[in-house]
Amino acid sequence: MSCVPVADDGDETCANCGTTASDTVKLKNCTACLLVKYCGVDCQKNHRKQHKKACKERAAELVDERLYSQGHERQEGDFCPICTLPVPSPISKNARFKACCMKMVCVGCVLASGKRGMNEVCAFCRTPKPYGDAAKLAQVKARVGKKDPEAIKFLGDINFHGLIGQAKDMKRAVELWTEAADLGSVNALFMVGCSYHYGYGTARDIKRAVRFYEKAAMLGNSMARHALGDFELNHRGNYDRAARHFLISAKMGHEESLNKIKSMFTQGHANKTQYAEALTGYQDALVEMNSPEREEYKIFCEIHGHIL
């Protein structure tokens, strides 16, 4: 694929008229593909018909390069702020959300803090534990008032599920998730994607869902990455792209992604190398996420038959 500038003498030239770059003539890249340069808007418009096909192809390649090269490391919010280890998926099962500081503290650190007599305060920020829905909601709204993106995202969760005394309101939840996403919450980006994907609180729009999934995936959200794999597998039937997504999220410790690649391998849609790489990466992620405190928590649950 190429889009050859006219009068190309080895210097930078305008792809339309051949004007060479100089101290007085500044050329600008075609921002979509970066293949060619122009001396002005008129030349870019005049060259559009000739350049359109190559531009579209290269622009798509650039998007894919970014999509598959970014987001291989888990997002900051997936790490326990106390032991600094990544939390196993699903995070809701393996960590406890603290509304006072908007942190996800892993179950190992929750158990360890309890053994030190800190059951009545947050294991991270030491704020006294709230009792009753009103006290919990007050903590959340205090953080929302400070434009904390994770607090706004959590308030969206509350509205979506109808928690802590709030009426279920999916439309309001989407509004809050959108605000949180604009403020930098990666998890909110994923939830907005889910809303468009399944039509929660808004009209169903698969294309918009994919765009939000892509943004979240490139920022390290393994669930969004897995969702992209599912989309490529089930909606487009593109096994290669699906496997590439599942491989990334499997290496981040996402068990369902590993199972998807395994299933694809048994059906002949993924090769042995892809499955082996996913399995090795997943096992490495499990080792990274393990700790004595988390193992102790598992034993605690087995003995007492409940979770903290």
Side-chain angles (χ1 to χ4, degrees):
M1 175 185 60
S2 65
C3 189
V4 182
V6 298
D8 185 1
D9 60 0
D11 295 324
E12 287 192 329
T13 58
C14 173
N16 183 61
C17 68
T19 298
T20 302
S22 66
D23 292 339
T24 57
V25 178
K26 302 299 182 183
L27 303 182
K28 293 185 178 180
N29 282 314
C30 172
T31 56
C33 68
L34 306 178
L35 284 174
V36 295
K37 296 185 177 184
Y38 298 102
C39 61
V41 175
D42 289 340
C43 274
Q44 185 171 10
K45 289 180 178 178
N46 292 335
H47 194 244
R48 178 60 180 163
K49 186 176 181 179
Q50 178 184 343
H51 176 56
K52 184 177 180 180
K53 182 179 179 181
C55 182
K56 188 175 181 179
E57 290 176 357
R58 182 53 185 158
E61 290 175 358
L62 290 173
V63 169
D64 269 4
E65 286 174 11
R66 291 192 294 269
L67 178 60
Y68 288 108
S69 66
Q70 297 177 17
H72 288 230
E73 300 295 329
R74 293 179 65 178
Q75 63 193 44
E76 182 181 349
D78 286 355
F79 291 77
C80 174
I82 297 177
C83 67
T84 70
L85 295 175
V87 179
S89 297
I91 291 180
S92 58
K93 177 183 177 181
N94 293 292
R96 299 293 173 263
F97 185 76
K98 304 298 180 180
C100 46
C101 53
M102 296 295 145
K103 300 295 184 183
M104 294 290 291
V105 179
C106 79
V107 291
C109 289
V110 170
L111 179 62
S113 65
K115 290 172 64 177
R116 292 195 295 269
M118 297 167 56
N119 288 314
E120 297 303 313
V121 297
C122 171
F124 180 71
C125 70
R126 306 297 193 264
T127 298
K129 183 184 297 185
Y131 285 95
D133 290 344
K136 293 176 184 177
L137 189 60
Q139 282 190 340
V140 175
K141 288 188 173 181
R143 302 289 299 187
V144 168
K146 296 178 181 179
K147 293 296 180 181
D148 183 329
E150 295 308 322
I152 297 171
K153 186 267 177 184
F154 184 57
L155 186 57
D157 296 347
I158 291 171
N159 279 266
F160 182 82
H161 295 288
L163 303 174
I164 56 177
Q166 299 300 293
K168 192 172 183 177
D169 188 341
M170 290 187 179
K171 183 177 179 180
R172 177 57 178 156
V174 176
E175 292 172 352
L176 289 164
W177 288 335
T178 302
E179 181 183 354
D182 290 340
L183 290 171
S185 171
V186 181
N187 288 326
L189 279 172
F190 172 66
M191 292 310 302
V192 175
C194 289
S195 300
Y196 284 116
H197 188 171
Y198 299 105
Y200 296 149
T202 188
R204 195 162 184 257
D205 188 332
I206 297 297
K207 288 185 178 180
R208 294 188 73 177
V210 169
R211 286 201 295 270
F212 278 99
Y213 285 155
E214 288 176 343
K215 290 178 182 178
M218 288 190 289
L219 292 170
N221 187 291
S222 62
M223 294 181 294
R225 182 67 70 176
H226 179 84
L228 288 173
D230 260 344
F231 175 76
E232 293 292 349
L233 179 64
N234 299 319
H235 290 268
R236 289 180 174 168
N238 193 318
Y239 301 122
D240 179 65
R241 291 176 65 88
R244 291 171 70 186
H245 283 303
F246 290 141
L247 180 58
I248 293 171
S249 45
K251 289 181 177 181
M252 297 166 79
H254 200 284
E255 185 177 7
E256 193 174 348
S257 294
L258 175 65
N259 292 336
K260 286 283 187 177
I261 290 191
K262 181 180 180 180
S263 177
M264 290 175 66
F265 171 58
T266 59
Q267 295 172 24
H269 300 314
N271 59 49
K272 184 177 181 180
T273 300
Q274 288 173 317
Y275 176 52
E277 186 178 350
L279 181 59
T280 300
Y282 176 74
Q283 291 171 337
D284 289 343
L286 290 186
V287 172
E288 184 184 6
M289 292 185 288
N290 196 26
S291 73
E293 292 77 14
R294 293 177 184 179
E295 289 301 312
E296 185 178 357
Y297 174 80
K298 292 178 184 178
I299 296 172
F300 175 89
C301 292
E302 291 173 0
I303 294 174
H304 296 279
H306 65 85
I307 61 176
L308 292 175

